């Protein structure tokens, strides 16, 4: 038992048991606060399920790329296609950026992280857009070739268009303070106006290519069914995204936009991998063995068999 002296004549006894209980309560609150901070990146901002549906697909695709990395590297080395090699490297880079963006959703709702979130979102969306534009450029060429000139021309056009997009978005975000990458449920006129134009352009481009596939101009495009399916899916997704932006003043519009954002960041990279890279990496092992046999024969490994 201890006492608290307020004056020479007045003393208030303080129980040691009460002091210990207060200390235990404070310690429990501190532990719970630390636990909450540990899991806040998964629970805060949009909520647990929103973050899980974003993180899980991107993490699984990144794990798949890592699991197939050794086998893919061998085929890239043997194939020696400049376009495939470059595209594979860009897919890796954008996948890492996208996974980071998905894991750091809590930055969107943290006032001190606004600048970092805007920069991360700008780089991530620009990387995804670069993949879209470059693949469209490959399709409009009629086929994809391994020539360095074709690679340089295609990537230069893609970089120019994406650079213009980054410049315009940067002005909106950093010059005018438009919350372009912050989904706070408001009907900001400049923000949704830009997204309407953005989705309208993409929908028009995909719609034009889809029209070419069903017209007399289809011979100018690659005949592979995977490309036609890709264009159909992306045309539909961008048309729905355009509708969501137009209906941004309603709850349904915000819900549809949020759902499409999850689908885009979670499944676009696997879609583009299946469309453009999967066939290259899934060539028959017999063909690969024939390549290795030819290289070993040219190196003189089988000269002794003729003696």
């Amino acid at each position: 038992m201890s006492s608290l002296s307020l004056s020479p004549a007045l003393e208030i006894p303080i129980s040691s048991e009460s002091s210990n209980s207060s200390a235990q309560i404070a310690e429990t609150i501190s532990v719970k606060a630390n636990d909450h901070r540990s899991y806040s990146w998964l629970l805060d901002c949009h909520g647990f399920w929103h973050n899980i549906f974003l993180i899980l697909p991107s993490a699984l695709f990144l794990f798949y790329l890592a699991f197939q990395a050794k086998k893919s590297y061998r085929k890239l080395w043997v194939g020696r296609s400049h376009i495939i090699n470059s595209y594979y490297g860009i897919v890796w880079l954008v996948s890492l950026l996208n996974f980071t963006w998905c894991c750091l959703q809590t930055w969107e709702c943290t006032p001190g992280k606004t600048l970092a979130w805007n920069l991360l979102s700008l780089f991530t969306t620009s990387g995804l857009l670069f993949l879209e534009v470059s693949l469209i450029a490959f399709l409009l060429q009629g086929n994809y070739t391994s020539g360095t000139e074709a690679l340089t021309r295609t990537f230069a056009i893609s970089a120019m268009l994406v650079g213009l997009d980054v410049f315009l978005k940067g002005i909106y975000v950093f010059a005018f303070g438009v919350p372009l990458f912050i989904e706070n449920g408001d009907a900001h006129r400049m923000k949704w106006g830009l997204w309407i134009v953005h989705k309208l352009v993409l929908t028009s481009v995909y719609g034009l290519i889809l029209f070419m596939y069903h017209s007399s101009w289809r011979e100018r495009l690659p005949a592979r069914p995977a490309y036609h399916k890709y264009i159909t899916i992306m045309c539909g997704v961008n048309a729905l995204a355009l509708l969501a932006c137009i209906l941004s003043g309603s709850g349904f519009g915000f819900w549809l936009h949020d759902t499409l954002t999850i689908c885009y960041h979670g499944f676009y990279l696997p879609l583009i991998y299946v469309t453009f890279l999967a066939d290259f990496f899934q060539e028959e092992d017999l063909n690969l063995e024939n390549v290795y046999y030819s290289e070993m024969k040219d190196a003189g490994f089988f000269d002794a068999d003729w003696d």
Side-chain angles (χ1 to χ4, degrees):
M1 179 76 68
S2 60
S3 62
L4 176 63
S5 177
L6 299 179
S7 67
L10 179 62
E11 290 186 354
I12 300 176
I14 299 178
S15 172
S16 59
E17 294 181 357
S18 177
S19 300
N20 293 336
S21 300
S22 300
Q24 291 175 357
I25 293 174
E27 184 178 356
T28 302
I29 294 175
S30 178
V31 170
K32 290 183 177 180
N34 291 332
D35 290 341
H36 180 267
R37 284 194 295 268
S38 300
Y39 296 99
S40 61
W41 65 276
L42 188 60
L43 301 176
D44 290 350
C45 201
H46 297 289
F48 175 79
W49 291 113
H50 178 280
N51 295 336
I52 282 294
F53 286 138
L54 270 175
I55 295 172
L56 190 59
S58 58
L60 290 175
F61 179 66
L62 202 57
F63 176 78
Y64 175 80
L65 287 179
F67 182 76
Q68 295 287 331
K70 185 176 181 180
K71 182 179 179 181
S72 300
Y73 177 77
R74 288 201 306 267
K75 294 187 177 182
L76 290 170
W77 179 259
V78 173
R80 297 182 182 277
S81 171
H82 299 293
I83 289 180
I84 297 294
N85 292 356
S86 300
Y87 216 73
Y88 179 74
I90 295 172
V91 167
W92 254 110
L93 176 62
V94 177
S95 298
L96 291 171
L97 271 174
N98 186 63
F99 178 69
T100 303
W101 183 87
C102 293
C103 290
L104 296 178
Q105 288 292 297
T106 186
W107 283 10
E108 184 179 349
C109 306
T110 306
K113 298 291 186 178
T114 302
L115 177 60
W117 173 253
N118 285 331
L119 289 173
L120 178 61
S121 299
L122 185 61
F123 283 121
T124 303
T125 55
S126 299
L128 292 167
L129 182 63
F130 183 86
L131 290 174
E132 284 195 64
V133 174
S134 57
L135 184 53
I136 290 174
F138 287 131
L139 293 177
L140 293 178
Q141 287 185 24
N143 52 39
Y144 57 89
T145 178
S146 59
T148 305
E149 182 179 353
L151 171 69
T152 304
R153 180 174 61 253
T154 302
F155 280 5
I157 295 174
S158 303
M160 182 177 62
L161 293 176
V162 174
L164 177 62
D165 181 79
V166 171
F167 177 73
L168 292 176
K169 289 178 180 177
I171 291 177
Y172 267 69
V173 174
F174 302 111
F176 297 128
V178 177
L180 201 60
F181 303 111
I182 298 177
E183 304 298 333
N184 49 11
D186 64 338
H188 197 287
R189 182 174 299 178
M190 291 183 64
K191 168 185 174 179
W192 293 108
L194 178 62
W195 284 127
I196 288 175
V197 173
H198 189 271
K199 300 304 179 184
L200 180 61
V201 171
L202 287 175
T203 304
S204 301
V205 172
Y206 285 119
L208 176 62
I209 299 176
L210 191 60
F211 170 77
M212 292 175 65
Y213 266 112
H214 294 87
S215 68
S216 58
W217 295 339
R218 61 181 177 272
E219 295 181 357
R220 300 183 181 183
L221 298 173
R224 291 181 57 192
Y227 288 154
H228 180 264
K229 292 179 181 178
Y230 170 83
I231 293 298
T232 304
I233 292 173
M234 293 307 297
C235 183
V237 168
N238 280 278
L240 288 174
L242 175 61
L243 176 63
C245 294
I246 294 174
L247 299 177
S248 58
S250 65
F252 174 76
F254 291 130
W255 174 85
L256 181 60
H257 184 269
D258 189 55
T259 302
L260 291 172
T261 299
I262 294 175
C263 293
Y264 182 73
H265 284 274
F267 301 104
Y268 176 71
L269 288 168
L271 173 64
I272 205 169
Y273 182 90
V274 170
T275 301
F276 191 74
L277 296 174
D279 288 344
F280 179 83
F281 291 125
Q282 291 176 0
E283 63 183 359
E284 295 180 359
D285 292 337
L286 179 61
N287 294 335
L288 191 60
E289 290 177 1
N290 289 336
V291 172
Y292 289 148
Y293 177 81
S294 299
E295 291 179 351
M296 294 175 69
K297 183 177 180 180
D298 293 339
F301 279 91
F302 304 106
D303 291 345
D305 296 340
W306 297 95
D307 296 338

